[in-house]
């Protein structure tokens, strides 16, 4: 089995409302009830689902162009509900995900924002969640953490290397911030925070990507870096603001190279 790449979109509204709004942004096909029931029984056999209910399974059809000149347009969707919070798990089971253009990914995320998502992040099914600090390798522990963050209304830990949140969840100004290392990690890492209308986009950047000339140039030329960042799982606490103008200028340069720094790349939020 290959790797599956997941985008997680969390909504602070009941699942019925989320699925009613979703077709306004995507072509969404909902599968039959017995398929959902079979999938939920399988999950219950493997995991403690931490009170989540699998309420729907389906497909999203949306074209994402890649650096290879082709595209992917079929995404599996599982809809989970807990405490009137809804979580969409959108999966792609092809390595072509890693070649999705950053500008295309931003348009995709923009559609999830317009559908009402309050927090968007990602991961892959070959992550061992214990490496991110969870007590066991159970995806529902991650989902539970996301729901608690939305209910608390405050994001203090960066879940994935590219994360999008409503501004109300992040009381930080735009700029470059340090990411606090977990024990056993050595290389420094930062997070760039950028405003997108009523949202904040956060992207983690290694120190060497800003200070090493070759690494920096590679990222300026890499047009699919965001697809890699979305499914990375740093799970690091956001620290103090970095006032170093050189580092900030380089981080801004990478961001502009990935997105074109144009509102069009966000799908006109």
């Amino acid at each position: 089995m290959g790797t599956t790449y997941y985008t997680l979109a969390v909504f602070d509204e009941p699942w019925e409302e989320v699925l009613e709004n979703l077709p306004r942004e995507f072509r969404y096909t909902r599968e039959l009830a017995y398929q959902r029931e079979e999938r939920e029984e399988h999950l219950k056999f493997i995991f403690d689902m931490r009170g989540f209910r699998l309420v729907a399974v389906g497909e999203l059809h949306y074209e994402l162009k890649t650096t290879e000149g082709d595209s992917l347009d079929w995404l599996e969707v599982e809809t989970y509900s807990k405490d009137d919070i809804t979580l969409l798990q959108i999966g792609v089971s092809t390595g072509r995900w890693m070649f999705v253009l950053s500008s295309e990914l931003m348009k995709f995320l923009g559609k999830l924002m317009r559908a009402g998502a309050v927090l968007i992040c990602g991961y892959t099914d070959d992550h061992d969640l214990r490496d991110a600090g969870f007590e066991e390798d159970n995806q529902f522990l991650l989902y539970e953490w996301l729901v608690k963050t939305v209910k608390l209304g405050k994001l203090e830990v960066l879940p994935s290397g590219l994360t999008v949140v409503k501004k109300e969840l992040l009381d930080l100004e735009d700029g470059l911030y340090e990411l606090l290392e977990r024990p056993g990690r050595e290389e420094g890492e930062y997070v760039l925070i950028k405003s997108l209308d009523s949202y904040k986009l956060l992207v983690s950047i290694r120190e060497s990507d800003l200070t090493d000339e070759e690494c920096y140039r590679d990222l300026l030329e890499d047009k699919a870096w965001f697809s890699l960042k979305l499914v990375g799982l740093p799970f690091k606490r956001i620290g103090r603001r970095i006032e170093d103008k050189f580092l900030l200028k380089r981080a801004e340069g990478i961001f502009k190279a990935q997105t074109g720094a144009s509102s069009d790349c966000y799908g006109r939020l």
Side-chain angles (χ1 to χ4, degrees), residues 106-107 110 114 196-197 259-269:
M106 288 304 302
K107 291 176 184 177
R114 289 198 300 274
L196 307 178
D197 293 336
T259 65
S262 165
S263 60
D264 289 343
C265 71
Y266 313 135
R268 294 183 181 179
L269 296 180

Side-chain angles (χ1 to χ4, degrees), residues 153-157 165-173 177 193-194 200-202 238:
K154 188 174 184 179
L155 181 75
E156 297 179 324
V157 173
V165 296
K166 290 288 284 185
K167 284 185 176 179
E168 300 88 83
L169 269 68
L170 188 69
D171 187 23
L172 293 174
E173 297 179 355
Y177 294 79
I193 299 177
K194 299 285 290 184
K200 295 277 190 177
L201 181 144
L202 301 87
I238 301 171

Side-chain angles (χ1 to χ4, degrees), residues 68-200:
E68 305 299 292
D70 59 2
S71 63
L72 53 93
D73 62 2
W74 185 79
L75 305 94
E76 298 177 331
V77 183
E78 294 183 352
T79 304
Y80 295 93
S81 176
K82 182 176 182 179
D83 301 333
D84 280 334
I85 302 291
T86 303
L87 184 147
L88 296 186
Q89 175 188 272
I90 305 169
V92 175
S93 300
T94 170
R96 284 189 297 161
W97 171 265
M98 305 306 290
F99 299 97
V100 170
L101 289 162
S102 295
S103 56
E104 290 286 293
L105 181 62
M106 288 304 302
K107 291 176 184 177
F108 173 67
L109 298 180
K111 294 178 80 66
L112 289 173
M113 293 179 225
R114 289 198 300 274
V118 297
L119 193 162
I120 307 170
C121 60
Y123 79 110
T124 71
D125 64 354
D126 60 2
H127 275 121
D128 188 329
L129 292 176
R130 290 170 293 190
D131 293 338
F134 291 99
E135 60 190 36
E136 59 183 270
D137 188 22
N138 177 353
Q139 67 197 54
F140 292 98
L141 291 175
L142 171 60
Y143 301 171
E144 184 177 51
W145 183 89
L146 294 171
V147 167
K148 287 181 177 178
T149 297
V150 169
K151 292 175 71 174
L152 182 63
K154 188 174 184 179
L155 181 75
E156 297 179 324
V157 173
L158 184 70
S160 65
L162 178 66
T163 299
V164 179
V165 296
K166 290 288 284 185
K167 284 185 176 179
E168 300 88 83
L169 269 68
L170 188 69
D171 187 23
L172 293 174
E173 297 179 355
D174 287 13
L176 190 65
Y177 294 79
E178 68 175 347
L179 285 177
L180 303 182
E181 297 293 336
R182 299 195 307 272
R185 303 298 179 93
E186 295 181 357
E187 183 176 7
E189 194 168 8
Y190 305 102
V191 58
L192 179 69
I193 299 177
K194 299 285 290 184
S195 292
L196 307 178
D197 293 336
S198 61
Y199 288 85
K200 295 277 190 177

